[in-house]
Amino acid sequence: MDQTPPALDDRALIGELRATLVEVLGRYLRPGTRVALLDFPGHTNVGDSAIWLGELELLRALRARLVYAGDITRYDPAVVRSRVGSGGLVLLHGGGNLGDLWPRHQAFRERVLVDLAELPVIQLPQSIHFREPAAVARAREIMTAHRSFTLLARDRPSLEFAERELGVRTTLCPDSAFMLQLRRPVRARQPVLWLSRTDHEAADSERGVLSGLAPVDWIREPRGRLASVSGALDRWHARPSAPATSVRAWYRIQAGRRLRRGCRLLARGRVVVTNRLHAQILSLLMGIPHFFTDTAQGKLTAHYRTWLEASLPGISCPSEREALDRAIALAARMAPGQQEGR
């Protein structure tokens, strides 16, 4: 068994991925381009908030003008048209919901393509997974009918599927969360942090105690006074009359709070074990060693083989039990200076 410790400092790899993101989006965005960014993730999954904040960093690096941001409930095609104008374009939030696993987001994506047929639309980096042929056929019909739609695929299997089954212009592009610059926010408090999915993407996750560890997930947020205040602010910003600049600022605050929560959770461990893609990405950005297992759809393996395997060999594991055993062994061997990441 390969017990090679994962590298703690992969700044060259991260720099290359950031440069690729800027180069790919730079083909479509020029300084001053007016942009609408749609499908803000108002839910509790830390990974989607990390992507959103990475997308904002990407727009800043390209000096694009974000003139509209909206979530599914606040989206107004007439307002998007008026803000973007004839020379702008529409960006759809990236992630792993292109397909029929998360139908609400796919339905929104297809609605935008129908509503805004006259505007260029770019789907930011996505993993693709469909189960039903009818859903593939519907997506293909809508996507190919759009006058200027570009799909950015987050991994090679998604790229190949899009070219073969969806028939749209597709480019390979890393996940936008790689634009984030992060440091470990707290010192490690335990040898291993095991973060395991609790949703329908989990691949027969062994949720019981293994190797003396119990799993956690990051989709539950603490309840209390802050949650009540956040709910009131959400309702206020959902109004059509809410100022656009205030809405964008509130989105950034929400996403930033969730990202900080996720980073603090991961940083509790000297080593991380996970089957969440963005737990792996955030661990990499913070310099925390990690091992991963896959989702039922093979999302992490596809991403790993596309972007990370050459620089991070030996961190893919066939089961959570093996990943935990290897992580515990690595944590025990780590020198004190290796325990704090960046």
Side-chain angles (χ1 to χ4, degrees):
M1 182 183 297
D2 182 6
Q3 293 287 347
T4 303
L8 293 176
D9 193 346
D10 295 286
R11 298 181 195 186
L13 168 63
I14 295 166
E16 291 171 3
L17 294 171
R18 288 175 182 153
T20 301
L21 272 157
V22 171
E23 189 276 324
V24 172
L25 267 295
R27 301 173 194 173
Y28 310 99
L29 297 177
R30 297 291 181 266
T33 301
R34 298 169 66 86
V35 169
L37 179 58
L38 304 183
D39 199 8
F40 170 75
H43 49 79
T44 59
N45 185 358
V46 172
D48 285 302
S49 288
I51 297 170
W52 181 269
L53 293 170
E55 290 163 350
L56 297 184
E57 286 300 307
L58 183 55
L59 294 178
R60 185 187 63 79
L62 293 167
R63 293 183 289 162
R65 293 180 60 195
L66 180 60
V67 296
Y68 180 93
D71 57 30
I72 289 178
T73 61
R74 196 176 184 277
Y75 162 70
D76 185 330
V79 177
V80 174
R81 289 190 198 94
S82 66
R83 298 268 175 83
V84 169
S86 60
L89 53 81
V90 175
L91 302 177
L92 291 168
H93 176 59
N97 58 32
L98 201 160
D100 54 9
L101 282 178
W102 302 96
R104 185 167 180 251
H105 294 278
Q106 181 65 18
F108 177 71
R109 178 179 297 109
E110 293 172 0
R111 178 187 169 191
V112 169
L113 290 173
V114 172
D115 288 346
L116 303 176
E118 76 281 12
L119 291 175
V121 176
I122 298 175
Q123 172 60 71
L124 293 172
Q126 277 274 353
S127 299
I128 302 173
H129 186 80
F130 284 91
R131 294 171 294 189
E132 300 297 332
V136 177
R138 182 177 63 251
R140 180 186 179 96
E141 179 180 2
I142 292 172
M143 290 177 179
T144 55
H146 194 276
R147 287 165 48 184
S148 181
F149 175 60
T150 301
L151 193 161
L152 304 183
R154 195 165 63 176
D155 55 64
R156 291 193 184 280
S158 295
L159 174 77
E160 293 165 0
F161 181 92
E163 292 177 339
R164 182 180 69 251
E165 302 293 342
L166 299 178
V168 296
R169 180 170 55 187
T170 311
T171 300
L172 192 65
C173 187
D175 189 277
S176 299
F178 283 111
M179 292 299 298
L180 299 174
Q181 299 195 39
L182 302 176
R183 298 183 67 85
R184 178 193 280 270
V186 295
R187 294 174 64 88
R189 300 191 325 216
Q190 60 197 66
V192 175
L193 188 285
W194 176 18
L195 194 152
S196 183
R197 301 189 75 111
T198 53
D199 60 20
H200 59 276
E201 288 195 44
D204 299 322
S205 175
E206 301 176 76
R207 294 295 301 173
V209 175
L210 293 177
S211 303
L213 292 170
V216 297
D217 199 2
W218 62 16
I219 59 173
R220 289 188 178 181
E221 290 188 329
R223 305 299 298 175
R225 183 176 299 177
L226 181 60
S228 299
V229 172
S230 294
L233 287 169
D234 278 340
R235 291 189 291 274
W236 190 87
H237 285 98
R239 299 174 309 143
S241 59
T245 54
S246 180
V247 171
R248 294 199 294 271
W250 178 235
Y251 285 164
R252 183 186 284 273
I253 289 169
Q254 288 186 78
R257 189 175 68 224
R258 290 185 174 119
L259 175 64
R260 289 190 294 275
R261 175 171 60 83
C263 289
R264 287 195 299 270
L265 176 61
L266 293 171
R268 282 163 40 184
R270 297 178 197 165
V271 183
V272 167
V273 169
T274 190
N275 57 7
R276 281 196 176 274
L277 176 59
H278 284 88
Q280 183 194 19
I281 291 175
L282 296 184
S283 296
L284 175 60
L285 292 173
M286 291 188 288
I288 301 174
H290 54 276
F291 295 92
F292 75 88
T293 59
D294 216 339
T295 64
Q297 300 75 35
K299 183 166 65 178
L300 278 81
T301 297
H303 176 267
Y304 174 68
R305 290 177 177 170
T306 301
W307 304 108
L308 306 178
E309 187 172 27
S311 299
L312 294 173
I315 64 171
S316 174
C317 299
S319 69
E320 289 181 308
R321 187 179 298 274
E322 178 178 320
L324 290 166
D325 289 344
R326 295 179 64 187
I328 291 168
L330 174 59
R333 297 198 309 271
M334 290 171 65
Q338 290 182 284
Q339 296 176 10
E340 299 310 321
R342 279 191 286 275

Coordinates of all heavy atoms in Angstrom, one line a residue, residues 249-304:
A249 N -23.8 42.4 -1.7 CA -23.0 42.4 -0.5 C -23.5 41.3 0.5 O -22.7 40.6 1.1 CB -23.1 43.8 0.2
W250 N -24.9 41.1 0.5 CA -25.4 40.1 1.4 C -25.1 38.7 1.0 O -24.8 37.9 1.8 CB -26.9 40.3 1.5 CG -27.6 39.3 2.3 CD1 -28.7 38.5 2.0 CD2 -27.4 39.0 3.7 NE1 -29.1 37.7 3.0 CE2 -28.3 38.0 4.1 CE3 -26.5 39.4 4.6 CZ2 -28.3 37.4 5.4 CZ3 -26.5 38.9 5.9 CH2 -27.4 37.9 6.3
Y251 N -25.1 38.5 -0.3 CA -24.6 37.2 -0.8 C -23.2 36.9 -0.4 O -22.8 35.8 0.0 CB -24.7 37.2 -2.4 CG -26.1 37.1 -3.0 CD1 -26.3 37.3 -4.3 CD2 -27.2 36.7 -2.2 CE1 -27.5 37.2 -4.9 CE2 -28.4 36.5 -2.8 CZ -28.6 36.8 -4.1 OH -29.8 36.7 -4.7
R252 N -22.3 37.9 -0.5 CA -20.9 37.7 -0.2 C -20.8 37.4 1.3 O -20.0 36.6 1.8 CB -20.1 39.0 -0.5 CG -18.6 38.8 -0.2 CD -17.8 40.1 -0.5 NE -17.7 40.4 -1.9 CZ -16.6 39.9 -2.6 NH1 -15.7 39.2 -2.1 NH2 -16.5 40.2 -3.9
I253 N -21.5 38.1 2.2 CA -21.5 37.9 3.6 C -21.9 36.5 3.9 O -21.3 35.8 4.7 CB -22.4 38.9 4.3 CG1 -21.8 40.3 4.3 CG2 -22.6 38.5 5.8 CD1 -22.7 41.4 4.7
Q254 N -23.1 36.0 3.4 CA -23.5 34.7 3.6 C -22.5 33.6 3.2 O -22.2 32.7 3.9 CB -24.8 34.4 2.8 CG -26.0 35.1 3.3 CD -27.3 34.6 2.6 OE1 -27.8 33.6 2.8 NE2 -27.7 35.4 1.6
A255 N -22.0 33.8 2.0 CA -21.0 32.8 1.5 C -19.7 32.8 2.3 O -19.2 31.8 2.6 CB -20.7 33.1 0.0
G256 N -19.3 34.0 2.7 CA -18.1 34.1 3.5 C -18.2 33.5 4.9 O -17.3 32.8 5.4
R257 N -19.4 33.6 5.5 CA -19.7 33.0 6.8 C -19.6 31.5 6.6 O -19.1 30.8 7.5 CB -21.0 33.5 7.3 CG -21.3 33.1 8.7 CD -22.5 33.7 9.3 NE -23.7 33.1 8.6 CZ -24.7 33.8 8.1 NH1 -24.7 35.1 8.2 NH2 -25.7 33.2 7.5
R258 N -20.2 31.0 5.6 CA -20.3 29.5 5.4 C -18.9 29.0 5.1 O -18.5 27.9 5.6 CB -21.2 29.1 4.3 CG -22.7 29.4 4.7 CD -23.7 28.9 3.7 NE -25.0 29.0 4.3 CZ -26.0 29.8 3.8 NH1 -25.8 30.5 2.7 NH2 -27.2 29.9 4.4
L259 N -18.1 29.7 4.3 CA -16.7 29.3 4.0 C -15.9 29.2 5.3 O -15.2 28.2 5.5 CB -16.1 30.2 3.0 CG -14.6 29.9 2.7 CD1 -14.5 28.5 2.0 CD2 -14.1 31.0 1.7
R260 N -16.0 30.2 6.1 CA -15.2 30.2 7.3 C -15.6 29.1 8.2 O -14.8 28.5 8.9 CB -15.4 31.6 8.1 CG -14.7 32.7 7.4 CD -14.7 34.0 8.2 NE -16.1 34.5 8.5 CZ -16.7 35.3 7.6 NH1 -16.1 35.7 6.5 NH2 -17.9 35.8 7.9
R261 N -16.9 28.8 8.3 CA -17.4 27.7 9.1 C -16.7 26.4 8.6 O -16.3 25.5 9.4 CB -18.9 27.6 9.1 CG -19.5 26.4 9.8 CD -21.0 26.4 9.9 NE -21.7 26.5 8.6 CZ -22.0 25.5 7.8 NH1 -21.6 24.3 8.2 NH2 -22.6 25.6 6.7
G262 N -16.7 26.2 7.3 CA -16.2 24.9 6.7 C -14.7 24.8 6.9 O -14.2 23.7 7.2
C263 N -14.0 25.9 6.8 CA -12.5 25.9 7.0 C -12.2 25.6 8.4 O -11.2 24.8 8.7 CB -11.9 27.2 6.5 SG -11.9 27.5 4.8
R264 N -12.9 26.2 9.4 CA -12.7 25.9 10.8 C -12.9 24.4 11.1 O -12.2 23.8 11.9 CB -13.5 26.8 11.7 CG -13.1 28.2 11.7 CD -13.8 29.0 12.9 NE -15.2 29.0 12.8 CZ -15.9 29.9 12.2 NH1 -15.3 30.9 11.6 NH2 -17.2 29.8 12.1
L265 N -14.0 23.9 10.5 CA -14.2 22.5 10.7 C -13.1 21.6 10.2 O -12.6 20.7 10.9 CB -15.6 22.1 10.0 CG -16.0 20.6 10.1 CD1 -16.2 20.2 11.5 CD2 -17.2 20.4 9.2
L266 N -12.7 21.8 9.0 CA -11.6 21.0 8.4 C -10.3 21.1 9.2 O -9.6 20.2 9.4 CB -11.4 21.4 6.9 CG -12.5 21.1 6.0 CD1 -12.2 21.7 4.6 CD2 -12.7 19.6 5.8
A267 N -10.0 22.4 9.6 CA -8.8 22.6 10.3 C -8.7 22.0 11.7 O -7.6 22.0 12.3 CB -8.6 24.2 10.4
R268 N -9.8 21.4 12.2 CA -9.7 20.7 13.4 C -8.8 19.5 13.4 O -8.2 19.0 14.4 CB -11.1 20.3 13.9 CG -11.9 21.4 14.5 CD -13.4 21.2 14.6 NE -13.7 19.8 15.0 CZ -15.0 19.3 15.0 NH1 -16.0 20.1 14.7 NH2 -15.2 18.1 15.3
G269 N -8.6 18.9 12.2 CA -7.8 17.7 12.0 C -6.4 18.0 11.5 O -6.2 18.9 10.6
R270 N -5.4 17.2 11.9 CA -4.1 17.3 11.3 C -4.2 16.7 9.8 O -3.5 17.2 8.9 CB -3.1 16.4 12.0 CG -2.8 16.8 13.4 CD -1.9 15.9 14.1 NE -1.9 16.0 15.5 CZ -1.4 15.1 16.4 NH1 -0.8 14.0 15.9 NH2 -1.4 15.3 17.7
V271 N -5.1 15.7 9.7 CA -5.3 15.1 8.4 C -6.8 15.0 8.2 O -7.6 14.8 9.1 CB -4.7 13.7 8.3 CG1 -4.9 13.1 6.9 CG2 -3.2 13.7 8.7
V272 N -7.3 15.2 6.9 CA -8.7 15.2 6.6 C -9.0 13.9 5.8 O -8.2 13.6 4.9 CB -9.1 16.4 5.9 CG1 -10.5 16.3 5.2 CG2 -9.1 17.6 6.8
V273 N -10.1 13.3 6.0 CA -10.7 12.2 5.2 C -12.1 12.7 4.7 O -12.9 13.1 5.6 CB -10.8 10.9 5.9 CG1 -11.6 9.9 5.1 CG2 -9.4 10.3 6.2
T274 N -12.4 12.6 3.4 CA -13.6 13.2 3.0 C -14.1 12.5 1.7 O -13.3 11.9 0.9 CB -13.5 14.7 2.8 OG1 -14.8 15.2 2.5 CG2 -12.6 15.0 1.6
N275 N -15.4 12.6 1.4 CA -15.9 12.3 0.1 C -16.7 13.5 -0.5 O -17.5 13.3 -1.3 CB -16.9 11.0 0.2 CG -18.0 11.2 1.2 OD1 -18.2 12.3 1.7 ND2 -18.8 10.2 1.4
R276 N -16.4 14.7 0.0 CA -16.9 15.9 -0.5 C -15.7 16.6 -1.3 O -14.7 16.8 -0.8 CB -17.4 16.9 0.6 CG -18.8 16.5 1.1 CD -19.4 17.6 1.8 NE -20.7 17.3 2.3 CZ -21.8 17.5 1.5 NH1 -21.7 18.0 0.3 NH2 -23.0 17.2 2.0
L277 N -16.0 16.9 -2.6 CA -15.0 17.5 -3.4 C -14.4 18.8 -2.8 O -13.2 19.0 -2.8 CB -15.6 17.8 -4.8 CG -14.7 18.5 -5.8 CD1 -13.4 17.7 -6.1 CD2 -15.4 18.7 -7.1
H278 N -15.3 19.6 -2.3 CA -14.7 20.9 -1.8 C -14.1 20.8 -0.5 O -13.3 21.7 -0.1 CB -15.8 22.0 -1.9 CG -16.0 22.5 -3.3 ND1 -16.9 21.8 -4.1 CD2 -15.4 23.4 -4.0 CE1 -16.8 22.4 -5.3 NE2 -15.9 23.3 -5.3
A279 N -14.4 19.8 0.3 CA -13.5 19.5 1.5 C -12.1 19.2 1.1 O -11.1 19.6 1.7 CB -14.1 18.4 2.3
Q280 N -12.0 18.5 -0.1 CA -10.7 18.2 -0.6 C -10.0 19.5 -1.1 O -8.8 19.7 -0.8 CB -10.7 17.1 -1.7 CG -9.3 16.8 -2.2 CD -9.3 16.0 -3.5 OE1 -10.3 16.0 -4.2 NE2 -8.2 15.4 -3.8
I281 N -10.7 20.3 -1.9 CA -10.1 21.5 -2.5 C -9.7 22.5 -1.4 O -8.6 23.0 -1.4 CB -11.1 22.1 -3.4 CG1 -11.3 21.2 -4.7 CG2 -10.7 23.5 -3.8 CD1 -12.3 21.7 -5.7
L282 N -10.6 22.7 -0.4 CA -10.3 23.6 0.7 C -9.1 23.1 1.5 O -8.2 23.9 2.0 CB -11.5 23.8 1.6 CG -12.7 24.5 0.9 CD1 -13.8 24.8 2.0 CD2 -12.3 25.8 0.2
S283 N -9.0 21.8 1.8 CA -7.9 21.2 2.5 C -6.6 21.5 1.7 O -5.6 21.9 2.3 CB -8.1 19.7 2.7 OG -9.2 19.4 3.5
L284 N -6.6 21.3 0.4 CA -5.5 21.6 -0.5 C -5.1 23.0 -0.4 O -3.9 23.4 -0.2 CB -5.8 21.2 -1.9 CG -4.7 21.5 -3.0 CD1 -3.4 20.8 -2.6 CD2 -5.2 21.1 -4.3
L285 N -6.0 23.9 -0.4 CA -5.8 25.4 -0.4 C -5.2 25.8 1.0 O -4.4 26.7 1.1 CB -7.0 26.2 -0.7 CG -7.6 26.1 -2.1 CD1 -8.9 26.8 -2.2 CD2 -6.6 26.7 -3.1
M286 N -5.6 25.1 2.1 CA -5.0 25.4 3.4 C -3.8 24.6 3.7 O -3.2 24.7 4.8 CB -6.1 25.1 4.4 CG -7.3 26.1 4.4 SD -8.4 25.9 5.8 CE -9.2 24.4 5.4
G287 N -3.3 23.7 2.8 CA -2.1 22.9 3.1 C -2.4 21.8 4.1 O -1.4 21.3 4.7
I288 N -3.6 21.3 4.2 CA -3.9 20.2 5.1 C -3.8 18.9 4.3 O -4.5 18.7 3.3 CB -5.3 20.4 5.7 CG1 -5.4 21.7 6.5 CG2 -5.6 19.2 6.7 CD1 -6.7 22.0 7.0
P289 N -3.0 17.9 4.8 CA -3.0 16.6 4.1 C -4.4 15.9 4.2 O -5.1 16.1 5.1 CB -2.0 15.8 4.9 CG -1.2 16.8 5.7 CD -2.1 18.0 5.9
H290 N -4.7 15.2 3.1 CA -6.0 14.6 3.1 C -6.0 13.3 2.2 O -5.2 13.1 1.3 CB -7.0 15.6 2.5 CG -6.6 16.2 1.2 ND1 -5.7 17.2 1.1 CD2 -6.9 15.8 -0.1 CE1 -5.5 17.5 -0.2 NE2 -6.2 16.7 -0.9
F291 N -7.0 12.5 2.5 CA -7.3 11.3 1.7 C -8.8 11.4 1.3 O -9.6 11.9 2.1 CB -7.1 10.0 2.5 CG -5.6 9.8 2.8 CD1 -5.1 10.3 4.0 CD2 -4.8 9.2 1.9 CE1 -3.8 10.1 4.3 CE2 -3.4 9.0 2.2 CZ -2.9 9.5 3.5
F292 N -9.2 10.8 0.2 CA -10.6 10.9 -0.2 C -11.1 9.6 -0.7 O -10.3 8.8 -1.2 CB -10.8 12.0 -1.3 CG -10.3 11.7 -2.7 CD1 -11.1 11.0 -3.6 CD2 -9.0 12.0 -3.1 CE1 -10.7 10.7 -4.9 CE2 -8.6 11.7 -4.4 CZ -9.4 11.0 -5.3
T293 N -12.4 9.4 -0.6 CA -13.1 8.4 -1.3 C -14.2 9.1 -2.2 O -14.3 10.3 -2.2 CB -13.9 7.5 -0.3 OG1 -14.8 8.3 0.5 CG2 -12.9 6.8 0.7
D294 N -14.9 8.3 -3.0 CA -15.7 8.9 -4.0 C -17.2 9.0 -3.7 O -17.6 8.3 -2.8 CB -15.5 8.2 -5.4 CG -15.5 9.1 -6.5 OD1 -16.0 10.2 -6.4 OD2 -14.9 8.8 -7.6
T295 N -17.9 9.8 -4.5 CA -19.3 9.8 -4.5 C -19.9 8.6 -5.3 O -19.1 7.9 -6.1 CB -19.9 11.1 -5.0 OG1 -19.5 11.2 -6.4 CG2 -19.4 12.3 -4.3
A296 N -21.2 8.4 -5.3 CA -21.8 7.4 -6.1 C -21.6 7.7 -7.6 O -21.6 6.7 -8.5 CB -23.2 7.2 -5.8
Q297 N -21.4 8.9 -8.0 CA -21.3 9.3 -9.4 C -19.8 9.4 -9.9 O -19.6 9.7 -11.0 CB -21.9 10.7 -9.6 CG -23.4 10.7 -9.3 CD -23.6 10.7 -7.8 OE1 -22.9 11.3 -7.0 NE2 -24.7 10.1 -7.3
G298 N -18.9 9.2 -9.0 CA -17.5 9.2 -9.4 C -16.9 10.6 -9.6 O -15.9 10.8 -10.2
K299 N -17.5 11.6 -8.9 CA -17.2 13.0 -9.1 C -15.8 13.3 -8.7 O -15.0 14.0 -9.4 CB -18.2 13.9 -8.4 CG -18.0 15.4 -8.6 CD -19.2 16.1 -8.1 CE -19.5 16.0 -6.7 NZ -20.7 16.8 -6.3
L300 N -15.4 12.8 -7.5 CA -14.0 13.2 -7.0 C -12.9 12.5 -7.8 O -11.9 13.2 -8.0 CB -13.9 12.8 -5.5 CG -14.5 13.8 -4.5 CD1 -16.0 13.6 -4.4 CD2 -13.8 13.7 -3.1
T301 N -13.1 11.3 -8.2 CA -12.1 10.6 -9.0 C -11.9 11.3 -10.3 O -10.8 11.5 -10.8 CB -12.5 9.1 -9.2 OG1 -12.5 8.5 -7.9 CG2 -11.5 8.4 -10.1
A302 N -13.0 11.7 -11.0 CA -12.9 12.4 -12.3 C -12.2 13.7 -12.1 O -11.3 14.0 -12.9 CB -14.4 12.6 -12.8
H303 N -12.5 14.4 -11.1 CA -11.8 15.7 -10.9 C -10.3 15.5 -10.5 O -9.4 16.2 -11.1 CB -12.5 16.5 -9.7 CG -11.8 17.7 -9.3 ND1 -10.9 17.8 -8.3 CD2 -12.0 19.0 -9.9 CE1 -10.5 19.1 -8.2 NE2 -11.1 19.8 -9.1
Y304 N -10.0 14.5 -9.7 CA -8.7 14.2 -9.3 C -7.8 13.8 -10.5 O -6.7 14.3 -10.6 CB -8.7 13.1 -8.2 CG -7.4 12.5 -7.8 CD1 -6.5 13.3 -7.0 CD2 -7.1 11.2 -8.0 CE1 -5.3 12.7 -6.6 CE2 -5.9 10.6 -7.6 CZ -5.0 11.4 -6.9 OH -3.8 10.9 -6.4

